[in-house]
Amino acid sequence: MDRRGFLRLAGAGAAALATGACGAGAEAPPSGTSATTTPPGTTGPPPPPDWAALRAKVPVLLPPDKDFTAAWSPFNSALQLPPPAALARCEIPEQVQECLEVARRSKIPVAARSGGHSYAGFSAPAGGLVVDVSPMREVRVQADGTAVIGAGAKLADVYAGLARAGRALPAGSCPSVGIAGLALGGGIGVLARKFGLTCDHLRSAQVVLADGSLRTASADSEQELFWALRGGGGGNFALVTQFEFGTVPAPGLTVFSLRFPAGSAASVLGAWQDWIGSAPPELWSICHLLGGTPPAAMVAGCYVGGAGGLNPLLDQLVSAANAKPTQRMAQPKGYLDAMRHFAGHGGGKREGFAAASRIVEHKITNLDRVVGQVQGRKMDLLFDGLGGAVGEIGVADTAFPHRKALASVQIYAPAERAEHARQLAAVTEVRDALTGLVGKGSYVNYLDAAQQDWAKAYYGPNLDRLRAVATRYDPDGVFRFAQGLTS
Protein backbone atom coordinates (compact mmCIF):
# COMPACT_ATOMS: atom_id res chain seq x y z
CA MET A 1 0.00 0.00 0.00
CA ASP A 2 1.04 3.58 -0.41
CA ARG A 3 2.64 5.81 2.16
CA ARG A 4 -0.55 7.62 3.01
CA GLY A 5 -1.48 4.72 5.16
CA PHE A 6 -4.92 3.81 3.98
CA LEU A 7 -5.86 2.98 0.43
CA ARG A 8 -8.83 5.15 -0.45
CA LEU A 9 -10.83 2.29 -1.78
CA ALA A 10 -14.52 1.58 -1.85
CA GLY A 11 -15.97 -1.78 -0.96
CA ALA A 12 -15.99 -3.98 2.10
CA GLY A 13 -12.84 -4.21 4.13
CA ALA A 14 -10.75 -2.17 1.71
CA ALA A 15 -8.40 -0.45 4.16
CA ALA A 16 -4.71 -0.81 4.79
CA LEU A 17 -2.25 1.31 6.66
CA ALA A 18 1.28 2.48 7.01
CA THR A 19 3.02 3.02 10.27
CA GLY A 20 6.47 4.36 10.26
CA ALA A 21 7.01 1.83 7.64
CA CYS A 22 6.97 3.32 4.19
CA GLY A 23 8.47 6.15 6.12
CA ALA A 24 11.45 8.27 6.49
CA GLY A 25 14.61 6.79 7.66
CA ALA A 26 13.24 3.39 7.02
CA GLU A 27 16.60 2.41 5.72
CA ALA A 28 20.04 2.75 7.17
CA PRO A 29 19.99 6.54 6.75
CA PRO A 30 22.63 8.91 5.99
CA SER A 31 25.77 10.63 6.37
CA GLY A 32 26.09 13.64 4.18
CA THR A 33 28.53 16.50 4.52
CA SER A 34 32.15 15.48 4.62
CA ALA A 35 34.55 16.45 7.36
CA THR A 36 36.90 19.36 6.69
CA THR A 37 39.87 18.28 8.77
CA THR A 38 43.06 16.94 7.23
CA PRO A 39 44.55 13.67 8.52
CA PRO A 40 47.47 14.15 10.93
CA GLY A 41 50.80 14.38 9.14
CA THR A 42 49.33 15.48 5.79
CA THR A 43 49.02 18.81 4.06
CA GLY A 44 47.05 20.15 1.15
CA PRO A 45 43.79 18.89 -0.32
CA PRO A 46 42.80 15.24 0.08
CA PRO A 47 43.34 12.91 -2.86
CA PRO A 48 40.39 12.16 -5.16
CA PRO A 49 38.69 8.78 -4.71
CA ASP A 50 40.37 5.93 -6.55
CA TRP A 51 37.23 4.29 -7.91
CA ALA A 52 39.17 1.82 -10.02
CA ALA A 53 40.98 0.49 -6.96
CA LEU A 54 37.72 0.26 -5.02
CA ARG A 55 36.06 -1.52 -7.93
CA ALA A 56 38.71 -4.23 -7.68
CA LYS A 57 37.35 -5.05 -4.22
CA VAL A 58 33.67 -3.99 -4.25
CA PRO A 59 30.99 -3.86 -6.98
CA VAL A 60 30.77 -0.12 -7.71
CA LEU A 61 28.39 1.79 -9.98
CA LEU A 62 29.49 5.13 -11.45
CA PRO A 63 27.43 7.77 -13.34
CA PRO A 64 28.19 6.35 -16.81
CA ASP A 65 26.79 2.96 -15.82
CA LYS A 66 23.25 2.34 -17.06
CA ASP A 67 21.89 1.18 -13.68
CA PHE A 68 23.44 4.03 -11.69
CA THR A 69 20.47 6.41 -11.54
CA ALA A 70 17.95 3.72 -10.61
CA ALA A 71 20.33 2.39 -7.95
CA TRP A 72 20.76 5.63 -6.02
CA SER A 73 17.41 7.39 -6.58
CA PRO A 74 15.43 7.82 -3.34
CA PHE A 75 11.98 6.35 -2.79
CA ASN A 76 10.53 9.88 -2.74
CA SER A 77 10.30 10.62 -6.45
CA ALA A 78 9.46 14.30 -5.81
CA LEU A 79 12.97 15.07 -4.60
CA GLN A 80 15.34 16.78 -7.02
CA LEU A 81 18.80 15.85 -5.78
CA PRO A 82 22.26 16.10 -7.31
CA PRO A 83 23.69 12.62 -7.76
CA PRO A 84 26.30 10.92 -5.63
CA ALA A 85 29.69 10.19 -7.15
CA ALA A 86 29.41 6.42 -6.77
CA LEU A 87 27.35 3.61 -5.29
CA ALA A 88 28.99 0.51 -3.85
CA ARG A 89 27.03 -2.70 -3.34
CA CYS A 90 28.51 -4.40 -0.31
CA GLU A 91 28.04 -8.10 0.36
CA ILE A 92 30.35 -8.50 3.36
CA PRO A 93 31.55 -6.21 6.18
CA GLU A 94 35.06 -6.08 4.75
CA GLN A 95 33.69 -4.32 1.66
CA VAL A 96 32.03 -1.73 3.89
CA GLN A 97 35.42 -1.17 5.52
CA GLU A 98 36.99 -0.60 2.11
CA CYS A 99 34.31 1.97 1.28
CA LEU A 100 34.80 3.88 4.49
CA GLU A 101 38.54 3.93 3.91
CA VAL A 102 37.99 5.65 0.54
CA ALA A 103 35.52 8.14 2.01
CA ARG A 104 37.74 8.92 4.98
CA ARG A 105 40.90 9.33 2.92
CA SER A 106 39.26 11.47 0.22
CA LYS A 107 37.04 13.46 2.58
CA ILE A 108 33.86 12.79 0.61
CA PRO A 109 30.38 12.36 2.07
CA VAL A 110 29.36 8.77 2.75
CA ALA A 111 25.93 7.32 3.49
CA ALA A 112 24.51 3.86 4.10
CA ARG A 113 21.43 2.75 2.20
CA SER A 114 19.17 -0.28 2.17
CA GLY A 115 15.57 0.63 1.31
CA GLY A 116 16.11 4.19 0.12
CA HIS A 117 13.06 5.49 2.02
CA SER A 118 14.66 8.55 3.64
CA TYR A 119 12.04 11.31 3.47
CA ALA A 120 14.76 13.90 2.85
CA GLY A 121 16.87 11.73 0.52
CA PHE A 122 19.81 11.82 2.93
CA SER A 123 20.92 8.32 1.89
CA ALA A 124 22.17 9.72 -1.43
CA PRO A 125 24.82 12.33 -0.50
CA ALA A 126 25.62 14.74 -3.33
CA GLY A 127 29.06 14.00 -4.76
CA GLY A 128 29.61 11.29 -2.18
CA LEU A 129 29.63 7.53 -1.82
CA VAL A 130 26.47 5.51 -1.24
CA VAL A 131 27.22 2.30 0.65
CA ASP A 132 24.38 0.06 -0.47
CA VAL A 133 24.02 -2.77 2.04
CA SER A 134 20.98 -4.33 0.36
CA PRO A 135 22.95 -7.47 -0.67
CA MET A 136 23.31 -8.24 3.07
CA ARG A 137 19.76 -9.49 3.47
CA GLU A 138 20.05 -12.86 5.22
CA VAL A 139 17.32 -13.67 7.76
CA ARG A 140 18.19 -16.63 9.96
CA VAL A 141 16.37 -17.74 13.11
CA GLN A 142 18.41 -19.65 15.68
CA ALA A 143 17.14 -22.41 17.93
CA ASP A 144 16.58 -20.00 20.84
CA GLY A 145 14.44 -17.68 18.68
CA THR A 146 17.15 -15.08 18.12
CA ALA A 147 16.98 -13.68 14.58
CA VAL A 148 20.21 -12.84 12.78
CA ILE A 149 19.29 -10.27 10.13
CA GLY A 150 21.51 -8.56 7.58
CA ALA A 151 21.33 -4.77 7.52
CA GLY A 152 20.08 -4.82 3.93
CA ALA A 153 17.02 -6.96 4.60
CA LYS A 154 13.67 -5.43 3.72
CA LEU A 155 10.63 -5.93 5.94
CA ALA A 156 9.16 -8.35 3.41
CA ASP A 157 12.30 -10.50 3.83
CA VAL A 158 12.15 -10.21 7.61
CA TYR A 159 8.50 -11.12 7.99
CA ALA A 160 8.72 -14.08 5.62
CA GLY A 161 11.90 -15.42 7.21
CA LEU A 162 10.54 -15.14 10.74
CA ALA A 163 7.16 -16.63 9.81
CA ARG A 164 8.84 -19.75 8.46
CA ALA A 165 10.21 -20.30 11.96
CA GLY A 166 6.93 -19.38 13.68
CA ARG A 167 8.41 -16.15 15.09
CA ALA A 168 7.58 -12.44 14.93
CA LEU A 169 9.29 -9.08 15.40
CA PRO A 170 7.33 -5.85 15.88
CA ALA A 171 8.06 -3.56 12.94
CA GLY A 172 6.39 -1.44 10.29
CA SER A 173 4.19 -2.28 7.35
CA CYS A 174 5.88 -1.15 4.15
CA PRO A 175 7.51 -4.26 2.63
CA SER A 176 10.34 -2.44 0.83
CA VAL A 177 11.59 -0.54 3.89
CA GLY A 178 14.97 -1.63 5.24
CA ILE A 179 15.16 -3.11 8.72
CA ALA A 180 18.25 -1.04 9.52
CA GLY A 181 16.85 2.48 9.42
CA LEU A 182 13.57 1.38 10.97
CA ALA A 183 15.28 -0.20 13.98
CA LEU A 184 17.91 2.52 14.41
CA GLY A 185 15.22 5.21 14.60
CA GLY A 186 13.12 3.22 17.10
CA GLY A 187 10.72 1.24 14.97
CA ILE A 188 7.08 2.19 15.51
CA GLY A 189 4.91 -0.57 14.11
CA VAL A 190 1.74 -2.59 14.12
CA LEU A 191 2.61 -4.73 17.15
CA ALA A 192 4.28 -1.98 19.19
CA ARG A 193 1.68 -1.66 21.94
CA LYS A 194 1.87 -5.38 22.71
CA PHE A 195 5.56 -6.13 22.07
CA GLY A 196 7.34 -2.77 22.01
CA LEU A 197 9.40 -1.02 19.35
CA THR A 198 11.69 -2.81 16.93
CA CYS A 199 14.73 -1.39 18.76
CA ASP A 200 13.50 -2.84 22.05
CA HIS A 201 14.24 -6.31 20.67
CA LEU A 202 17.78 -5.52 19.52
CA ARG A 203 20.33 -7.81 21.19
CA SER A 204 23.46 -6.81 19.30
CA ALA A 205 24.63 -5.03 16.17
CA GLN A 206 27.74 -5.66 14.11
CA VAL A 207 29.03 -2.27 12.97
CA VAL A 208 31.84 -0.65 11.05
CA LEU A 209 33.04 2.44 12.90
CA ALA A 210 34.21 5.66 11.28
CA ASP A 211 37.83 4.54 11.73
CA GLY A 212 37.09 1.37 9.75
CA SER A 213 37.18 -1.07 12.65
CA LEU A 214 34.59 -3.84 12.92
CA ARG A 215 32.91 -4.03 16.31
CA THR A 216 29.90 -5.58 18.03
CA ALA A 217 27.66 -3.34 20.12
CA SER A 218 25.58 -5.05 22.79
CA ALA A 219 24.73 -4.87 26.47
CA ASP A 220 28.18 -6.33 27.18
CA SER A 221 30.28 -4.54 24.55
CA GLU A 222 30.34 -0.89 23.43
CA GLN A 223 27.44 -0.21 25.77
CA GLU A 224 27.06 3.50 24.98
CA LEU A 225 26.97 2.78 21.27
CA PHE A 226 24.42 0.03 21.86
CA TRP A 227 22.27 2.50 23.79
CA ALA A 228 22.51 5.05 20.98
CA LEU A 229 21.68 2.57 18.23
CA ARG A 230 18.28 1.93 19.84
CA GLY A 231 16.46 5.03 18.62
CA GLY A 232 19.28 7.49 17.96
CA GLY A 233 18.73 7.51 14.21
CA GLY A 234 20.68 5.93 11.39
CA GLY A 235 23.92 7.36 10.05
CA ASN A 236 25.06 9.07 13.22
CA PHE A 237 27.46 6.66 14.90
CA ALA A 238 28.48 3.72 12.72
CA LEU A 239 27.44 1.72 9.71
CA VAL A 240 25.54 -1.42 10.74
CA THR A 241 26.12 -4.62 8.77
CA GLN A 242 24.14 -7.15 10.86
CA PHE A 243 21.61 -7.28 13.69
CA GLU A 244 20.58 -9.83 16.26
CA PHE A 245 17.01 -9.44 17.50
CA GLY A 246 15.03 -11.28 20.11
CA THR A 247 11.72 -12.47 18.68
CA VAL A 248 8.37 -13.63 20.03
CA PRO A 249 6.13 -16.51 18.98
CA ALA A 250 4.12 -15.42 15.95
CA PRO A 251 0.66 -14.47 17.26
CA GLY A 252 -2.73 -14.84 15.67
CA LEU A 253 -4.20 -11.42 14.89
CA THR A 254 -7.52 -9.87 13.98
CA VAL A 255 -7.17 -6.94 11.59
CA PHE A 256 -9.89 -4.30 11.43
CA SER A 257 -10.96 -1.09 9.76
CA LEU A 258 -13.78 1.39 10.31
CA ARG A 259 -14.70 4.12 7.83
CA PHE A 260 -16.72 7.01 9.26
CA PRO A 261 -18.88 9.52 7.37
CA ALA A 262 -17.45 12.86 6.28
CA GLY A 263 -17.99 15.56 8.85
CA SER A 264 -17.38 13.30 11.87
CA ALA A 265 -13.57 13.59 11.93
CA ALA A 266 -13.35 15.68 15.11
CA SER A 267 -15.63 13.40 17.13
CA VAL A 268 -13.84 10.29 15.82
CA LEU A 269 -10.40 11.68 16.69
CA GLY A 270 -11.56 12.66 20.16
CA ALA A 271 -13.08 9.25 20.80
CA TRP A 272 -10.04 7.49 19.34
CA GLN A 273 -7.50 9.23 21.56
CA ASP A 274 -9.44 8.32 24.72
CA TRP A 275 -9.98 4.80 23.43
CA ILE A 276 -6.38 4.04 22.47
CA GLY A 277 -5.12 5.64 25.67
CA SER A 278 -7.07 3.16 27.81
CA ALA A 279 -7.08 0.13 25.50
CA PRO A 280 -5.36 -3.15 26.42
CA PRO A 281 -1.89 -3.51 24.86
CA GLU A 282 -3.20 -6.24 22.58
CA LEU A 283 -4.93 -3.50 20.58
CA TRP A 284 -2.98 -1.31 18.18
CA SER A 285 -4.64 1.32 16.03
CA ILE A 286 -4.16 4.28 13.74
CA CYS A 287 -6.63 7.13 13.21
CA HIS A 288 -6.39 8.55 9.73
CA LEU A 289 -7.84 11.98 8.93
CA LEU A 290 -8.29 12.32 5.19
CA GLY A 291 -8.10 15.89 3.93
CA GLY A 292 -11.07 17.25 2.03
CA THR A 293 -14.23 19.31 2.38
CA PRO A 294 -15.10 18.22 4.96
CA PRO A 295 -12.31 15.91 6.20
CA ALA A 296 -13.20 12.25 6.74
CA ALA A 297 -11.87 9.72 9.24
CA MET A 298 -10.85 6.08 9.21
CA VAL A 299 -9.67 3.92 12.09
CA ALA A 300 -7.81 0.67 11.51
CA GLY A 301 -5.38 -1.62 13.22
CA CYS A 302 -5.05 -5.07 14.69
CA TYR A 303 -5.74 -7.02 17.86
CA VAL A 304 -3.57 -9.79 19.25
CA GLY A 305 -6.30 -12.38 19.67
CA GLY A 306 -9.63 -13.26 18.14
CA ALA A 307 -12.58 -11.22 16.92
CA GLY A 308 -14.46 -12.08 20.10
CA GLY A 309 -12.03 -9.94 22.11
CA LEU A 310 -11.84 -7.18 19.53
CA ASN A 311 -15.49 -6.50 18.68
CA PRO A 312 -16.51 -5.19 22.12
CA LEU A 313 -13.61 -2.73 21.89
CA LEU A 314 -14.75 -1.57 18.47
CA ASP A 315 -18.27 -1.14 19.81
CA GLN A 316 -16.88 1.13 22.53
CA LEU A 317 -15.15 3.33 19.97
CA VAL A 318 -18.22 3.61 17.76
CA SER A 319 -20.39 4.53 20.73
CA ALA A 320 -17.95 7.17 21.94
CA ALA A 321 -17.54 8.66 18.45
CA ASN A 322 -21.32 9.08 18.16
CA ALA A 323 -21.00 8.27 14.46
CA LYS A 324 -22.04 5.08 12.71
CA PRO A 325 -19.33 3.66 10.43
CA THR A 326 -20.22 3.37 6.77
CA GLN A 327 -17.92 0.34 6.63
CA ARG A 328 -16.76 -2.04 9.33
CA MET A 329 -14.41 -4.98 8.88
CA ALA A 330 -12.80 -7.38 11.37
CA GLN A 331 -10.98 -10.41 10.03
CA PRO A 332 -8.75 -13.01 11.74
CA LYS A 333 -5.38 -13.57 10.09
CA GLY A 334 -2.12 -15.33 10.78
CA TYR A 335 0.94 -13.22 11.50
CA LEU A 336 2.39 -13.23 7.98
CA ASP A 337 -0.98 -12.70 6.29
CA ALA A 338 -1.66 -9.78 8.62
CA MET A 339 1.63 -8.13 7.69
CA ARG A 340 0.78 -8.60 4.02
CA HIS A 341 -2.64 -7.07 4.66
CA PHE A 342 -1.05 -3.93 6.08
CA ALA A 343 1.37 -3.80 3.16
CA GLY A 344 -1.52 -3.74 0.70
CA HIS A 345 -0.69 -3.95 -2.99
CA GLY A 346 2.20 -1.49 -3.11
CA GLY A 347 5.10 -0.43 -0.94
CA GLY A 348 7.83 -0.92 -3.53
CA LYS A 349 6.81 1.57 -6.20
CA ARG A 350 8.42 5.01 -5.89
CA GLU A 351 6.05 7.83 -5.05
CA GLY A 352 6.30 11.57 -4.58
CA PHE A 353 5.33 13.26 -1.34
CA ALA A 354 6.03 15.90 1.27
CA ALA A 355 5.83 14.86 4.91
CA ALA A 356 6.64 15.75 8.49
CA SER A 357 5.63 14.61 11.96
CA ARG A 358 4.87 15.56 15.52
CA ILE A 359 4.58 13.49 18.68
CA VAL A 360 1.24 13.64 20.50
CA GLU A 361 2.56 14.29 23.99
CA HIS A 362 -0.79 14.93 25.67
CA LYS A 363 -4.50 14.68 25.08
CA ILE A 364 -5.71 16.96 22.30
CA THR A 365 -8.24 19.49 23.54
CA ASN A 366 -8.85 21.59 20.43
CA LEU A 367 -10.03 18.84 18.10
CA ASP A 368 -11.71 21.15 15.59
CA ARG A 369 -8.50 23.09 15.07
CA VAL A 370 -6.52 19.91 14.47
CA VAL A 371 -9.06 18.63 11.95
CA GLY A 372 -9.16 22.07 10.37
CA GLN A 373 -5.53 21.72 9.33
CA VAL A 374 -6.57 19.39 6.50
CA GLN A 375 -9.84 21.12 5.64
CA GLY A 376 -9.93 21.51 1.86
CA ARG A 377 -6.36 20.29 1.52
CA LYS A 378 -4.76 17.46 -0.41
CA MET A 379 -3.14 16.27 2.81
CA ASP A 380 -3.70 13.63 5.50
CA LEU A 381 -2.94 13.27 9.21
CA LEU A 382 -2.12 9.77 10.47
CA PHE A 383 -2.26 9.31 14.25
CA ASP A 384 -0.35 6.16 15.24
CA GLY A 385 -1.12 4.89 18.74
CA LEU A 386 1.70 4.37 21.23
CA GLY A 387 1.48 3.41 24.90
CA GLY A 388 1.35 -0.17 26.11
CA ALA A 389 4.74 -1.88 25.95
CA VAL A 390 6.32 1.22 24.38
CA GLY A 391 5.79 3.15 27.60
CA GLU A 392 7.06 0.41 29.89
CA ILE A 393 10.67 1.34 29.10
CA GLY A 394 12.21 4.46 30.59
CA VAL A 395 12.83 7.58 28.52
CA ALA A 396 16.60 7.31 29.08
CA ASP A 397 16.86 3.50 28.93
CA THR A 398 17.23 3.65 25.14
CA ALA A 399 17.86 6.58 22.82
CA PHE A 400 14.20 6.66 21.70
CA PRO A 401 12.75 9.47 23.86
CA HIS A 402 9.01 9.40 23.19
CA ARG A 403 8.13 6.65 25.65
CA LYS A 404 5.32 8.50 27.42
CA ALA A 405 3.60 9.81 24.29
CA LEU A 406 0.04 8.99 23.36
CA ALA A 407 0.76 8.73 19.64
CA SER A 408 2.79 10.02 16.74
CA VAL A 409 1.16 11.98 13.94
CA GLN A 410 2.47 11.96 10.39
CA ILE A 411 1.56 14.87 8.11
CA TYR A 412 1.53 13.52 4.57
CA ALA A 413 0.80 15.20 1.24
CA PRO A 414 1.21 13.47 -2.13
CA ALA A 415 3.33 15.59 -4.45
CA GLU A 416 5.33 15.07 -7.60
CA ARG A 417 8.18 17.36 -8.55
CA ALA A 418 6.12 20.20 -10.03
CA GLU A 419 4.11 20.66 -6.84
CA HIS A 420 6.62 19.52 -4.23
CA ALA A 421 7.69 22.98 -3.06
CA ARG A 422 4.09 24.10 -2.61
CA GLN A 423 3.08 20.92 -0.77
CA LEU A 424 6.18 21.03 1.41
CA ALA A 425 5.35 24.58 2.45
CA ALA A 426 1.82 23.47 3.34
CA VAL A 427 3.09 20.48 5.33
CA THR A 428 5.51 22.72 7.20
CA GLU A 429 2.70 25.13 8.02
CA VAL A 430 0.58 22.31 9.43
CA ARG A 431 3.51 20.84 11.36
CA ASP A 432 4.14 24.18 13.04
CA ALA A 433 0.43 24.64 13.81
CA LEU A 434 0.28 21.20 15.41
CA THR A 435 3.19 22.05 17.72
CA GLY A 436 0.97 24.01 20.06
CA LEU A 437 -1.86 21.50 19.76
CA VAL A 438 -0.13 18.14 20.28
CA GLY A 439 3.50 18.69 21.32
CA LYS A 440 6.98 19.66 20.13
CA GLY A 441 8.53 16.26 19.47
CA SER A 442 9.04 14.59 16.08
CA TYR A 443 9.90 11.05 14.98
CA VAL A 444 13.41 10.70 13.54
CA ASN A 445 12.27 8.07 11.04
CA TYR A 446 10.15 10.77 9.41
CA LEU A 447 13.17 12.95 8.62
CA ASP A 448 12.08 16.51 7.91
CA ALA A 449 14.72 18.59 6.13
CA ALA A 450 12.65 21.76 6.64
CA GLN A 451 12.49 21.41 10.42
CA GLN A 452 14.58 23.94 12.33
CA ASP A 453 14.17 22.38 15.78
CA TRP A 454 14.95 18.86 14.53
CA ALA A 455 17.60 17.89 17.09
CA LYS A 456 15.50 18.61 20.18
CA ALA A 457 12.34 17.38 18.47
CA TYR A 458 13.84 14.02 17.48
CA TYR A 459 15.83 13.29 20.61
CA GLY A 460 14.40 15.36 23.49
CA PRO A 461 16.19 14.82 26.80
CA ASN A 462 18.55 12.26 25.23
CA LEU A 463 20.13 14.78 22.84
CA ASP A 464 23.26 15.67 24.83
CA ARG A 465 24.11 12.04 25.54
CA LEU A 466 23.65 11.14 21.88
CA ARG A 467 25.92 13.95 20.77
CA ALA A 468 28.56 12.71 23.18
CA VAL A 469 28.33 9.21 21.68
CA ALA A 470 28.61 10.62 18.16
CA THR A 471 31.69 12.64 19.12
CA ARG A 472 33.30 9.62 20.78
CA TYR A 473 32.77 7.24 17.86
CA ASP A 474 33.15 9.72 14.99
CA PRO A 475 35.51 12.45 16.22
CA ASP A 476 36.50 13.50 12.67
CA GLY A 477 32.95 13.79 11.35
CA VAL A 478 33.14 11.05 8.74
CA PHE A 479 29.38 10.50 9.14
CA ARG A 480 28.50 14.20 9.26
CA PHE A 481 25.30 15.23 7.43
CA ALA A 482 22.67 17.96 7.46
CA GLN A 483 20.73 16.56 10.42
CA GLY A 484 23.50 14.51 11.95
CA LEU A 485 24.70 14.57 15.54
CA THR A 486 28.39 15.01 14.81
CA SER A 487 29.23 18.68 15.34
Side-chain angles (χ1 to χ4, degrees):
M1 71 175 255
D2 71 12
R3 189 182 305 269
R4 271 168 289 186
F6 293 88
L7 293 175
R8 302 185 189 209
L9 303 176
L17 54 139
T19 73
C22 283
E27 59 181 329
S31 12
T33 305
S34 62
T36 57
T37 57
T38 302
T42 65
T43 58
D50 187 341
W51 299 126
L54 184 62
R55 264 183 155 169
K57 303 172 183 177
V58 186
V60 175
L61 291 175
L62 299 173
D65 298 326
K66 69 174 184 177
D67 295 331
F68 177 75
T69 299
W72 74 263
S73 295
F75 184 85
N76 186 352
S77 60
L79 297 177
Q80 301 185 61
L81 304 174
L87 180 143
R89 287 183 166 141
C90 297
E91 300 175 354
I92 55 176
E94 289 76 13
Q95 292 177 329
V96 175
Q97 292 175 296
E98 294 288 349
C99 290
L100 284 182
E101 173 62 22
V102 169
R104 189 171 60 251
R105 184 180 298 276
S106 299
K107 302 295 181 185
I108 61 170
V110 59
R113 171 191 171 100
S114 56
H117 283 259
S118 172
Y119 274 17
F122 285 154
S123 59
L129 174 60
V130 177
V131 180
D132 182 358
V133 299
S134 61
M136 302 183 192
R137 58 192 307 167
E138 177 189 26
V139 178
R140 175 168 47 89
V141 180
Q142 300 177 359
D144 65 354
T146 299
V148 180
I149 301 177
K154 310 300 189 290
L155 292 189
D157 305 322
V158 172
Y159 287 142
L162 294 182
R164 285 193 293 268
R167 308 296 294 183
L169 177 69
S173 64
C174 185
S176 62
V177 156
I179 186 64
L182 179 71
L184 295 174
I188 295 173
V190 298
L191 297 178
R193 299 189 75 253
K194 176 62 176 177
F195 298 113
L197 304 174
T198 309
C199 74
D200 297 338
H201 293 258
L202 184 62
R203 299 294 177 263
S204 70
Q206 182 188 74
V207 303
V208 179
L209 299 182
D211 65 6
S213 61
L214 187 65
R215 305 282 182 87
T216 297
S218 70
D220 300 317
S221 175
E222 310 292 349
Q223 290 96 335
E224 276 297 282
L225 179 59
F226 181 60
W227 174 85
L229 293 175
R230 290 174 291 160
N236 280 312
F237 317 103
L239 199 158
V240 180
T241 57
Q242 182 177 275
F243 298 94
E244 287 189 353
F245 290 101
T247 64
V248 298
L253 303 171
T254 303
V255 301
F256 67 89
S257 66
L258 303 169
R259 182 187 290 269
F260 290 90
S264 61
S267 62
V268 171
L269 177 61
W272 178 85
Q273 68 173 351
D274 292 336
W275 181 68
I276 198 66
S278 61
E282 287 77 15
L283 178 75
W284 170 84
S285 177
I286 192 167
C287 181
H288 185 185
L289 304 186
L290 298 87
T293 306
M298 296 179 64
V299 174
C302 67
Y303 178 78
V304 181
L310 170 65
N311 279 319
L313 295 171
L314 298 183
D315 292 340
Q316 291 174 15
L317 173 64
V318 170
S319 177
N322 196 29
K324 184 178 180 180
T326 57
Q327 294 179 10
R328 174 169 171 164
M329 179 274 290
Q331 185 176 11
K333 288 184 179 291
Y335 162 71
L336 183 57
D337 283 345
M339 297 306 105
R340 288 171 174 165
H341 165 82
F342 291 129
H345 300 292
K349 182 180 178 181
R350 294 177 66 216
E351 57 188 67
F353 63 93
S357 71
R358 281 301 184 197
I359 298 295
V360 183
E361 298 168 350
H362 51 74
K363 183 177 177 179
I364 301 168
T365 55
N366 196 330
L367 297 164
D368 288 332
R369 190 173 170 199
V370 169
V371 173
Q373 299 304 314
V374 294
Q375 172 74 29
R377 277 177 155 153
K378 188 181 176 184
M379 181 187 300
D380 298 344
L381 299 179
L382 295 96
F383 292 83
D384 192 338
L386 297 175
V390 177
E392 293 175 359
I393 295 176
V395 170
D397 290 345
T398 69
F400 182 84
H402 310 300
R403 296 289 179 176
K404 305 307 177 186
L406 175 67
S408 67
V409 55
Q410 181 179 181
I411 308 138
Y412 178 88
E416 292 304 333
R417 289 189 177 185
E419 58 181 352
H420 183 253
R422 177 177 58 81
Q423 287 288 65
L424 180 60
V427 165
T428 299
E429 178 185 339
V430 172
R431 182 204 66 207
D432 291 345
L434 289 178
T435 303
L437 298 170
V438 305
K440 298 179 179 180
S442 293
Y443 182 33
V444 69
N445 274 356
Y446 299 148
L447 284 166
D448 179 1
Q451 187 160 340
Q452 298 299 309
D453 63 343
W454 60 269
K456 192 67 176 177
Y458 294 158
Y459 304 117
N462 293 333
L463 176 59
D464 289 345
R465 185 177 173 185
L466 283 165
R467 281 185 164 149
V469 176
T471 300
R472 174 181 172 184
Y473 283 93
D474 185 17
D476 296 324
V478 173
F479 295 125
R480 185 177 299 165
F481 69 102
Q483 289 190 351
L485 291 170
T486 302
S487 60

